[in-house]
Amino acid sequence: MTSPEPAQWNPNQYERFKAERARPFWDLVALVQPCPGGRVVDLGCGTGELTKELHRVLEASETVGIDSSPSMLERARPFASAGVRFEEGDIATWQPDPYDVVFSNAALHWVPDHRHLLGRLTNALPAGGQLAVQVPANTDHPSHTVGMAVAGEAPFVEVFADDPPPDPATRVLAPEEYAELLDQHGFGEQHVRLQVYVHHLASSADVVEWAKGTHLTFFRTRLTDELYELYLTRYRERLLEAIGDRRPYLYTFKRILFWGRRT
């Protein structure tokens, strides 16, 4: 299992914080060197709007956006052009063709075994090829820990007995481990950093809306409508107990960005 079932991704909910979610994308793009006439793949392309920007900035001749969600790909359709196309696919089983740039913004944390994954993605790159990845690393924030704790309580725990929620804390590596992996896979040039993004939300309750667009989609997929509403109510109550009912609210969010060029 890599990510919530495709039908449960809600592009409208995800893009409620469109500007905030775009900031790490642009920081990651800034690490990548243009590849005029090259081939680029965007793994976990979502709604496709940023894939089009990636294509433009890198001056590629072809950019392919890959996503497992039909609803996201439907939203991406208007951004397709002569050089940009979108395909349905699961990153966990994606078999790479040769690309000059493998790019992934906020998607690989759904995929297990990053040591193996980076080796597979490296195989798509020739000498001089670039790998650029951004993954959330905020699993110690109450927005995540509270959600996992509530999932372990009745009546939800029975639903997840045979299919526990994926925990990015067990998948995302430390920044220095990504640096070591890049070096092992022949990326002679690299940049790895942990960055804290600050988001000024109208209230702490907006953190619930943020989470509904991302990691809470797993729970929406597997719970009945009635149980999901009960889960949200309990999650909201516990979260506000932890972070306070504040207006406005400064939501801090850690992310790892890494880039490398094969030599």
Side-chain angles (χ1 to χ4, degrees):
M1 177 181 58
T2 59
S3 65
E5 294 174 4
Q8 297 300 329
W9 281 105
N10 185 331
N12 293 328
Q13 184 70 37
Y14 184 82
E15 291 201 330
R16 284 193 60 171
F17 303 96
K18 182 177 179 178
E20 291 85 352
R21 297 193 195 279
R23 285 170 54 196
F25 167 85
W26 287 111
D27 287 343
L28 186 62
V29 170
L31 297 176
V32 185
Q33 300 173 11
C35 58
R39 300 185 73 228
V40 175
V41 64
D42 182 7
L43 299 176
C45 63
T47 61
E49 183 173 359
L50 295 178
T51 306
K52 182 180 179 181
E53 291 299 308
L54 178 68
H55 177 77
R56 177 185 62 82
V57 172
L58 297 189
E59 304 173 14
S61 64
E62 179 187 10
T63 299
V64 182
I66 306 290
D67 206 281
S68 63
S69 170
S71 58
M72 289 290 195
L73 291 172
E74 181 64 26
R75 183 69 67 88
R77 185 177 300 178
F79 300 110
S81 65
V84 179
R85 59 187 172 88
F86 299 95
E87 297 179 357
E88 184 173 344
D90 187 337
I91 299 172
T93 57
W94 178 71
Q95 296 300 316
D97 293 326
Y99 287 96
D100 297 289
V101 176
V102 174
F103 184 95
S104 184
N105 179 60
L108 296 192
H109 58 294
W110 292 110
V111 185
D113 194 356
H114 279 196
R115 290 177 176 83
H116 174 75
L117 175 63
L118 260 64
R120 185 158 55 87
L121 298 183
T122 299
N123 291 337
L125 296 169
Q130 301 176 77
L131 174 67
V133 174
Q134 182 271 119
V135 287
N138 214 42
T139 53
D140 58 345
H141 191 277
S143 59
H144 179 81
T145 58
V146 169
M148 297 298 286
V150 172
E153 301 171 355
F156 317 111
V157 66
E158 291 83 2
V159 177
F160 303 128
D162 297 323
D163 187 16
D167 188 355
T170 65
R171 298 181 175 189
V172 174
L173 305 176
E176 61 270 24
E177 292 180 276
Y178 288 115
E180 292 169 358
L181 285 171
L182 289 173
D183 187 70
Q184 291 170 15
H185 288 299
F187 290 90
E189 302 174 54
Q190 64 164 269
H191 175 102
V192 182
R193 73 174 186 256
L194 176 68
Q195 182 161 338
V196 180
Y197 288 86
V198 292
H199 305 296
H200 294 87
L201 305 185
S203 73
S204 49
D206 280 341
V207 177
V208 178
E209 298 304 312
W210 181 294
K212 283 168 63 178
T214 51
H215 65 270
L216 294 191
T217 51
F218 175 90
F219 306 106
R220 181 68 186 92
T221 298
R222 287 154 179 82
L223 296 173
T224 64
D225 290 345
E226 182 179 0
L227 277 180
Y228 182 63
E229 288 305 315
L230 178 60
Y231 175 88
L232 277 182
T233 297
R234 194 175 299 180
Y235 173 75
R236 183 179 293 106
E237 291 173 350
R238 297 280 184 81
L239 179 64
L240 294 182
E241 287 176 3
I243 65 177
D245 187 358
R246 295 152 60 184
R247 294 175 174 77
Y249 177 70
L250 182 67
Y251 185 29
T252 56
F253 203 112
K254 297 186 293 295
R255 299 178 183 271
I256 297 172
L257 295 84
F258 64 88
W259 166 88
R261 177 189 285 278
R262 293 193 75 185
T263 54

